[in-house]
Amino acid sequence: MAKTKLSDELVPKPFVSRFQRGAIYLLLVVGAFLSLFPFYYMFVQASQPSSEVLRFPPHLWFGSAAWSNIQGLFANGFGRSLFNSAFIAVVYASLSVFIASLAGYAFAKFRFRGRSILFGMFLLVLMIPYHVTAVPLFQLMAKITLFGDPTWISSYQAVILPALANPFGIFLMRQSMQSLPDDLLDAARIDGAGEWRVFTSVALPTMRPTLAALAIYSFMFQWNSFFWPLIIMRDKAMETLPVRINALVGLSIIDYGQLMMGTALTTLPIMMIFIAFQRQFISGALAGAVKG
Amino acid sequence: MMVRRKIHGSLISLLVLTLILAACGSDSTATTTSNTGSTNPAEVKGEITVWAWNVAAKSLEATVPSFNQKYPNVKVTVQDIGRTDVYDKLTSGLQAGGAGLPDVVAIESDRMDVYTSTFPDGLADLTSRASKYEKDFDPSKWAQSKISDKIRSIPWDSGPTGLWYRVDIFEQAGVDPKSIETWADLIAAGEKILAATDGKTKLLPVDIVADDAGFRMMTSQLGVCCYFNNDGKINLTNDKSVQALTLLKEINDKGLVANINGWDGTVAATKNGDVATVPFGVWYSGTIIDQAPDLSGKWDVMLLPAFEKGGNRAANLGGSTLAIPAATKNLDAAWLFVEHALATSEGQNIMMEKFGIWPSYQPAYSADLYSKPVAFFNNQPIWKLFADEIKNIPPATYTKDYAKGQAVLASAQAKVLSQGMDPKQALQEAAAELANQTGREIAQ
């Protein structure tokens, strides 16, 4: 806070005429309208019965079918998919952020044999296109018998585990941890803190914005993920939201109302999370960008 | 030090690469259950899973109660999956030697060749069980199910085409639908309609840059569908294909084409009166009823117009099959389910009555429903038209390169309709392009 105040005083205010200000506001209003209208329109369409969605001229106000669209979705497994998506995204986000911060810390603050080779491998993984690994990964999941399961096809771990050590996250955390002064950590060590204590009580708290940004990123990654859950989840009870919504697209008959409602309901949590954590998200993204 | 590090680095990348490759080339353990036809229905036991896209899944689900009356000890689970998603799941499962596959799967007829050529033994050989039904099925569909004399799928629904048209708009423009016999008649009618509606209502919708459905229907009608001939050669430069594309160009040049965007665009044009006719398969009836309930009584259907008076008016567009992955653990139950749904009038007509899925199984047409008038469609017995059409549909050839052909043809169509290229030249270029992509020869 103090910092912003200082810069406020030091930087001279540019002269902005009333006319210029008006023009800026007008531009912002138009911009806001252009970016918000598609969301509004999505909710309007979500409240229409299927046969009204493609009508011309289009409806601009809410229709009467919102509840029946919701009922139709939930009668066909939408609730279960909502749970699956939320469960996978939350568990994945917590675990992968934890792992990324541990690995990032180690890469940034410890010197050990093979550090750069290991780190290079992570970057290498970042460069392999996802679709190349899909089939071998699927075969692995089909044959794996860890934890007593006969197969990992259609299981939560099959979606959560393969992407858990996320190279992007590790990279982000390493860049961020590098900015942490070694002296700070040494001071804690001199005060008698063990390595674990140094990590959790000194390093992690300063990383909060980056951690929040990474958590949101990881959550969204799983929430929006389509291809891998589609391939690996073969039991309807295990489907995630994007897969369930895509199941509404058939050959010659599509329930557009339900499709729009499903999309709206899937977008809503992401919008709410983004609005709630907007500041962390943006400052975290900036921190990564500037300090990297 | 630097050198050592470099060696380390490349060693590790090599290791990673080897791991990936090793995982790719794993063994394919396709298990084939022996063919033990059980005679007592109660002895057939087990659980089977069926994959299909939404309405198709609902219709198969509707056959389960009558199936369970015959075979009470088989538990059937029908899963609805997005249409193209079925293929992604099927392909990955077949690549993994049959892991995670269902016991029965719906595949569009024009996609079958992709699977039978990429995974020759991925789908169960049904020849010994199914060949007795050959005479009962739509011959053009049965031909597609047979791959080098083995039956790998059973035809489910056919897509006999029709020209769906707006009765009220025809009346308003003073056009008698009965007078339309040839495409030339239809073009004349289209010009009258355009004039009578002040240019609002065009004749028919075409997705000029992305979909060549019109071309496929016309070439099906002329017996040269789709892109390839029986020897697997590219079959685009023949006179009939040129005739079809020339016709499309003529309709477009007269301003009678509504250029729409994708499937949703077609549906929107249908319900908003932007077009007076839609040439499409029988399955479009379901779409019109679903999407344009307020136009009840205002739609009717006739056969596609002929290219010359008295010429063939039967064609096919679309249609699906059911196949059984060879990895199924319960081939008997899976087969009996397919047999009940597709090779009995009972099963097929449940799906026809409730969901308008047109049987490829011809004995089904003797049921009452095929002669009854349909209130939504101008109170006409429209199903009879399609039942009579089936036997006249010329056989078509698809190959595993069908999708490539579709893309090439859509761009040829765009060149002709949007840029005015000569149809013959466009088809020659398309044939050369397709030869380039597939390594196939061009038929002379």
Side-chain angles (χ1 to χ4, degrees), chain B residues 62-86:
Chain B
T63 69
V64 173
S66 58
F67 173 72
N68 277 147
Q69 271 176 7
K70 284 194 211 162
Y71 305 101
N73 297 322
V74 180
K75 186 172 177 288
V76 183
T77 311
V78 182
Q79 247 175 281
D80 65 320
I81 296 172
R83 177 174 68 94
T84 50
D85 299 347
V86 170

Side-chain angles (χ1 to χ4, degrees), chain B residues 164-173 175 177 276 297-301 376-378 380:
Chain B
W164 303 95
Y165 67 94
R166 280 283 291 273
V167 179
D168 53 335
I169 295 179
F170 269 53
E171 245 169 49
Q172 184 195 338
V175 177
K298 294 181 180 164
W299 282 95
D300 199 343
V301 67
F376 190 97
F377 292 102
N378 197 23
Q380 295 298 307

Side-chain angles (χ1 to χ4, degrees), chain A residues 50-51 54-56 76 113 117 121 135 138-139 230 233-234 236 244 246-252 256, chain B residues 4 8 12 23 51 54 79-80 82-83 85 89 92 95-96 100 108 263-264 271-272 287 291 294:
Chain A
S50 176
S51 60
L54 294 178
R55 178 173 297 285
F56 189 85
N76 199 11
R113 269 177 80 92
I117 292 175
M121 275 180 66
V135 168
F138 179 79
Q139 290 170 329
L230 167 73
M233 295 306 208
R234 286 168 182 252
K236 188 167 176 177
R244 185 90 295 269
N246 220 44
L248 295 171
V249 181
L251 203 51
S252 57
Y256 293 98
Chain B
R4 239 180 85 191
H8 262 250
I12 284 165
W51 283 359
N54 61 6
Q79 247 175 281
D80 65 320
R83 177 174 68 94
D85 299 347
K89 293 177 106 129
S92 54
Q95 268 173 336
E108 283 163 277
W263 171 258
D264 300 346
K271 68 181 272 113
N272 295 318
T287 315
Q291 284 293 317
D294 44 342

Side-chain angles (χ1 to χ4, degrees), chain A residues 49-57 76 113-114 116-118 121 124-125 128 132-140 142-143 151 153-154 226-227 229-237 239 242-259, chain B residues 4-5 8-9 12-13 16 20 23-27 29 49 51 53-55 58 78-86 88-90 92-93 95-97 99-102 108 157 263-265 267-268 271-272 274 283-284 286-287 290-294 319-320 355:
Chain A
S50 176
S51 60
E52 292 297 315
V53 171
L54 294 178
R55 178 173 297 285
F56 189 85
N76 199 11
R113 269 177 80 92
S116 14
I117 292 175
L118 267 178
M121 275 180 66
L124 192 76
V125 172
I128 297 176
V132 172
T133 60
V135 168
L137 198 59
F138 179 79
Q139 290 170 329
L140 182 68
K143 284 177 185 158
T151 172
I153 289 176
S154 299
F226 173 71
F227 189 67
L230 167 73
I231 297 295
I232 197 73
M233 295 306 208
R234 286 168 182 252
D235 186 345
K236 188 167 176 177
E239 278 177 354
V243 177
R244 185 90 295 269
I245 288 172
N246 220 44
L248 295 171
V249 181
L251 203 51
S252 57
I253 295 182
I254 299 170
D255 192 321
Y256 293 98
Q258 284 189 24
L259 194 61
Chain B
R4 239 180 85 191
R5 187 178 285 179
H8 262 250
I12 284 165
S13 0
V16 171
I20 293 170
C24 280
S26 85
D27 60 325
T29 47
T49 309
W51 283 359
W53 45 90
N54 61 6
V55 171
K58 280 183 205 158
V78 182
Q79 247 175 281
D80 65 320
I81 296 172
R83 177 174 68 94
T84 50
D85 299 347
V86 170
D88 287 338
K89 293 177 106 129
L90 183 61
S92 54
Q95 268 173 336
L101 288 181
E108 283 163 277
D157 67 315
W263 171 258
D264 300 346
V267 176
K271 68 181 272 113
N272 295 318
D274 300 338
W283 35 261
Y284 202 55
T287 315
D290 181 58
Q291 284 293 317
D294 44 342
S320 311
F355 299 96

Side-chain angles (χ1 to χ4, degrees), chain B residues 13-345:
Chain B
S13 0
L14 205 75
L15 200 82
V16 171
L17 212 84
T18 326
L19 273 176
I20 293 170
L21 289 178
C24 280
S26 85
D27 60 325
S28 56
T29 47
T31 49
T32 27
T33 328
S34 61
N35 177 357
T36 48
S38 171
T39 40
N40 182 1
E43 272 173 25
V44 189
K45 286 177 189 146
E47 292 186 18
I48 59 169
T49 309
V50 182
W51 283 359
W53 45 90
N54 61 6
V55 171
K58 280 183 205 158
S59 67
L60 285 176
E61 186 118 51
T63 69
V64 173
S66 58
F67 173 72
N68 277 147
Q69 271 176 7
K70 284 194 211 162
Y71 305 101
N73 297 322
V74 180
K75 186 172 177 288
V76 183
T77 311
V78 182
Q79 247 175 281
D80 65 320
I81 296 172
R83 177 174 68 94
T84 50
D85 299 347
V86 170
Y87 303 127
D88 287 338
K89 293 177 106 129
L90 183 61
T91 306
S92 54
L94 287 171
Q95 268 173 336
L101 288 181
D103 303 285
V104 177
V105 60
I107 303 174
E108 283 163 277
S109 310
D110 50 31
R111 295 241 189 178
M112 270 304 293
D113 288 342
V114 174
Y115 292 100
T116 48
S117 63
T118 318
F119 308 102
D121 294 310
L123 300 174
D125 176 4
L126 304 174
T127 317
S128 62
R129 295 158 191 260
S131 42
K132 61 181 169 196
Y133 291 116
E134 176 157 1
K135 61 178 191 323
D136 295 331
F137 278 91
D138 170 355
S140 66
K141 288 278 154 183
W142 192 264
Q144 286 164 35
S145 285
K146 223 177 197 174
I147 287 107
S148 41
D149 283 330
K150 285 186 176 160
I151 297 160
R152 300 276 180 185
S153 68
I154 304 299
W156 178 358
D157 67 315
S158 295
T161 54
L163 185 75
W164 303 95
Y165 67 94
R166 280 283 291 273
V167 179
D168 53 335
I169 295 179
F170 269 53
E171 245 169 49
Q172 184 195 338
V175 177
D176 177 13
K178 290 201 175 58
S179 71
I180 294 169
E181 288 179 42
T182 64
W183 283 102
D185 297 340
L186 186 68
I187 291 174
E191 288 181 307
K192 267 182 158 178
I193 290 165
L194 196 68
T197 58
D198 295 329
K200 184 196 179 291
T201 302
K202 305 266 176 47
L203 182 61
L204 46 83
V206 178
D207 186 346
I208 291 181
V209 294
D211 189 9
D212 65 332
F215 178 79
R216 271 180 285 145
M217 280 182 272
M218 289 169 181
T219 47
S220 163
Q221 200 183 350
L222 294 166
V224 291
C225 180
C226 284
Y227 321 131
F228 307 98
N229 67 12
N230 274 335
D231 307 327
K233 289 183 181 168
I234 295 161
N235 191 20
L236 284 176
T237 45
N238 59 72
D239 293 345
K240 287 174 173 170
S241 298
V242 175
Q243 198 182 358
L245 196 53
T246 309
L247 173 61
L248 273 172
K249 183 175 190 304
E250 193 188 340
I251 299 173
N252 184 60
D253 287 350
K254 296 210 159 129
L256 299 177
V257 163
N259 184 15
I260 50 86
N261 186 4
W263 171 258
D264 300 346
T266 309
V267 176
T270 303
K271 68 181 272 113
N272 295 318
D274 300 338
V275 291
T277 76
V278 183
F280 248 160
V282 58
W283 35 261
Y284 202 55
S285 60
T287 315
I288 302 177
I289 295 173
D290 181 58
Q291 284 293 317
D294 44 342
L295 294 176
S296 176
K298 294 181 180 164
W299 282 95
D300 199 343
V301 67
M302 63 174 106
L303 290 174
L304 293 184
F307 274 81
E308 62 271 336
K309 226 172 179 135
N312 175 38
R313 300 180 67 172
N316 182 79
L317 185 74
S320 311
T321 63
L322 285 183
I324 300 176
T328 177
K329 297 209 169 61
N330 205 337
L331 183 59
D332 285 333
W335 162 252
L336 291 171
F337 177 79
V338 172
E339 186 181 42
H340 171 76
L342 306 189
T344 67
S345 298

Side-chain angles (χ1 to χ4, degrees), chain B residues 367-390:
Chain B
D368 286 348
L369 102 107
Y370 294 87
S371 50
K372 276 190 192 150
V374 183
F376 190 97
F377 292 102
N378 197 23
N379 220 15
Q380 295 298 307
I382 62 165
W383 306 132
K384 194 175 175 331
L385 175 119
F386 295 109
D388 294 340
E389 180 184 356
I390 287 284

Side-chain angles (χ1 to χ4, degrees), chain A residues 43-252:
Chain A
F43 287 106
V44 167
Q45 295 288 46
S47 68
Q48 307 290 348
S50 176
S51 60
E52 292 297 315
V53 171
L54 294 178
R55 178 173 297 285
F56 189 85
H59 293 277
L60 292 175
W61 189 245
F62 297 94
S64 57
W67 181 238
S68 68
N69 285 340
I70 292 177
Q71 277 179 317
L73 284 172
F74 278 82
N76 199 11
F78 194 80
R80 174 75 202 203
S81 298
L82 193 67
F83 170 79
N84 291 341
S85 275
F87 179 79
I88 289 171
V90 167
V91 171
Y92 174 80
S94 342
L95 289 180
S96 80
V97 165
F98 180 64
I99 288 174
S101 58
L102 279 175
Y105 182 70
F107 277 129
K109 291 298 163 197
F110 293 123
R111 294 174 162 275
F112 51 93
R113 269 177 80 92
R115 179 172 79 163
S116 14
I117 292 175
L118 267 178
F119 192 66
M121 275 180 66
F122 272 106
L123 292 188
L124 192 76
V125 172
L126 209 55
M127 286 164 212
I128 297 176
Y130 187 71
H131 291 76
V132 172
T133 60
V135 168
L137 198 59
F138 179 79
Q139 290 170 329
L140 182 68
M141 293 298 140
K143 284 177 185 158
I144 213 160
T145 50
L146 227 59
F147 305 155
D149 286 339
T151 172
W152 277 16
I153 289 176
S154 299
S155 67
Y156 288 126
Q157 64 264 32
V159 176
I160 294 171
L161 284 185
L164 205 51
N166 174 12
F168 169 74
I170 292 170
F171 183 72
L172 185 73
M173 289 316 295
R174 172 183 174 265
Q175 300 304 97
S176 192
M177 294 280 190
Q178 267 178 342
S179 68
L180 204 63
D182 283 335
D183 295 346
L184 194 66
L185 305 176
D186 287 339
R189 287 188 186 113
I190 289 165
D191 287 343
E195 284 305 322
W196 181 249
R197 185 78 195 272
V198 172
F199 174 67
T200 52
S201 306
V202 180
L204 272 192
T206 58
M207 291 293 125
R208 214 174 272 160
T210 317
L211 290 175
L214 184 59
I216 292 174
Y217 167 83
S218 309
F219 183 90
M220 296 220 311
F221 165 73
Q222 282 295 5
W223 187 265
N224 293 332
S225 173
F226 173 71
F227 189 67
W228 180 243
L230 167 73
I231 297 295
I232 197 73
M233 295 306 208
R234 286 168 182 252
D235 186 345
K236 188 167 176 177
M238 298 302 285
E239 278 177 354
T240 56
L241 280 182
V243 177
R244 185 90 295 269
I245 288 172
N246 220 44
L248 295 171
V249 181
L251 203 51
S252 57

